[in-house]
Amino acid sequence: MKKDGKTEQAAQWLREAQHAIAFTGAGISANSGIPTFRGEGGIWKEVDPNYFNIDFFNKKPLVTWKIIKKVFYDQMTHAQPNLAHFILSIMEQQGMIKTVITQNIDHLHQDAGSKNVLELHGTYKRLICTRCNTEYDYRFADLNFLPPTCFVCRGVLKPDFVFFNEKLPATTKQQAFDEIDKTDLVLIVGTRAEVFPANSLLEKARENNARIIEINLDATEVTRQLTDLFIQGDATNVMKQLCLQLTCSNQCKCDEREKGITGSDIP
Ligand code: NAD
Ligand code: ZN
């Protein structure tokens, strides 16, 4: 990343903000080994998105489950948070970020220690019965036998993340809009934010005159229409630069984490 004063500017705005929030998508988890949907190596290059339509799933759950298991469960269950997730969680501990609104379903923000996380699109960790709505931790189901079924009523279990043509969790969506109404700074990391409600949330933030900082590999529609400060680059690298600009009291242990020493190795 070029030294062009942008991370200094971003750090300054974060210091000035009263209620900053992070807004994340698939790009923040790319360095954890989870592919994004679009772009180079994206999931849609391999898989037809129509399999993730709720109507298709309801008709042919076994077909969709075989794909879901391969592209999501086989990867997400082994993925570890990366430096960008950890730095956001430290920023929350330091009161610099109040909430993370994420479109991700991979639970890596919580795994990194973030407490206040709004999962707009749900999570892979929970399964829900399509017949009686009983909820399960995914580890209760044996995904070697697909589709998984409900212990109560034998209905098919569905991952509790949002499929195409399916409604978003209403409470979470409302909480996200409430957060946007409070925020004076949105730090976008790794998303095109093309779909509803991501796009509407950011438009609302703009209307409310919140500052918008965007970290993405490439410019997006958001860059062109809403962003005040675009920092082009890899989420992990940029977040590390930002952390260094902020306190970096080394509470985040940036260097050790970057060398791959994580979790319990770090006091
Ligand atoms: P997307 O695939 O449309 O776009 C990814 C964005 O991340 C792009 O702007 C790209 O430039 C950027 N990016 C890629 N690698 C990056 C990196 N290393 N550093 C910084 N930026 C990087 O993803 P999206 O906009 O988040 O699309 C939303 C949908 O994708 C959501 O529905 C979400 O549930 C789903 N999704 C989630 C996961 C996950 O949970 N990890 C993975 C794939 C898709
Ligand atoms: Zn059931």
Side-chain angles (χ1 to χ4, degrees), residues 18-66:
Q18 300 295 310
H19 194 104
I21 61 167
F23 192 94
T24 68
I28 196 171
S29 297
N31 285 329
S32 295
I34 303 174
T36 58
F37 271 169
R38 298 170 188 82
E40 198 65 25
I43 291 169
W44 298 152
K45 289 255 193 294
E46 266 187 58
V47 178
D48 182 347
N50 288 322
Y51 290 127
F52 295 94
N53 188 301
I54 190 64
D55 302 319
F56 184 92
F57 176 82
N58 285 334
K59 277 189 213 133
K60 299 195 173 179
L62 178 59
V63 176
T64 301
W65 254 113
K66 282 182 178 166

Side-chain angles (χ1 to χ4, degrees), residues 91-254:
M91 286 167 80
E92 181 186 327
Q93 278 175 43
Q94 293 179 339
M96 214 174 279
I97 290 274
K98 303 295 181 203
T99 304
V100 177
I101 301 177
T102 189
Q103 296 160 90
N104 291 347
I105 56 169
D106 57 26
H107 206 263
L108 291 181
H109 286 299
Q110 294 94 325
D111 292 348
S114 287
K115 302 275 180 257
N116 215 2
V117 182
L118 294 175
E119 295 172 309
L120 282 178
H121 294 170
T123 173
Y124 84 97
K125 289 245 175 192
R126 226 174 14 248
L127 304 179
I128 185 157
C129 176
T130 52
R131 200 183 286 162
C132 75
N133 290 329
T134 302
E135 291 181 3
Y136 298 90
D137 183 296
Y138 80 97
R139 288 168 297 186
F140 278 101
D142 183 351
L143 297 185
N144 292 311
F145 297 96
L146 297 175
T149 51
C150 177
F151 295 114
V152 180
C153 77
R154 297 276 150 224
V156 170
L157 300 182
K158 175 191 165 293
D160 200 8
F161 56 70
V162 178
F163 280 44
F164 293 123
N165 213 16
E166 193 180 29
K167 282 209 175 94
L168 275 85
T171 310
T172 312
K173 190 173 81 177
Q174 188 53 52
Q175 286 169 332
F177 274 100
D178 292 347
E179 272 301 303
I180 288 288
D181 273 339
K182 283 188 237 160
T183 193
D184 53 355
L185 187 149
V186 184
L187 177 65
I188 299 172
V189 190
T191 175
R192 287 172 214 260
E194 272 174 358
V195 291
F196 179 83
N199 47 10
S200 301
L201 286 163
L202 295 176
E203 280 162 17
K204 191 89 201 315
R206 173 85 279 165
E207 273 167 41
N208 294 348
N209 292 321
R211 283 169 164 165
I212 299 185
I213 303 170
E214 179 189 352
I215 301 168
N216 258 322
L217 277 186
D218 298 302
T220 62
E221 270 315 294
V222 173
T223 325
R224 289 178 270 280
Q225 294 182 17
L226 305 174
T227 299
D228 295 299
L229 182 61
F230 176 52
I231 310 179
Q232 183 165 18
D234 174 78
T236 306
N237 292 340
V238 178
M239 287 301 292
K240 185 177 174 189
Q241 293 308 319
L242 199 51
C243 188
L244 291 167
Q245 285 296 327
L246 287 161
T247 53
C248 201
S249 52
N250 207 24
Q251 200 187 341
C252 53
K253 312 273 179 191
C254 288

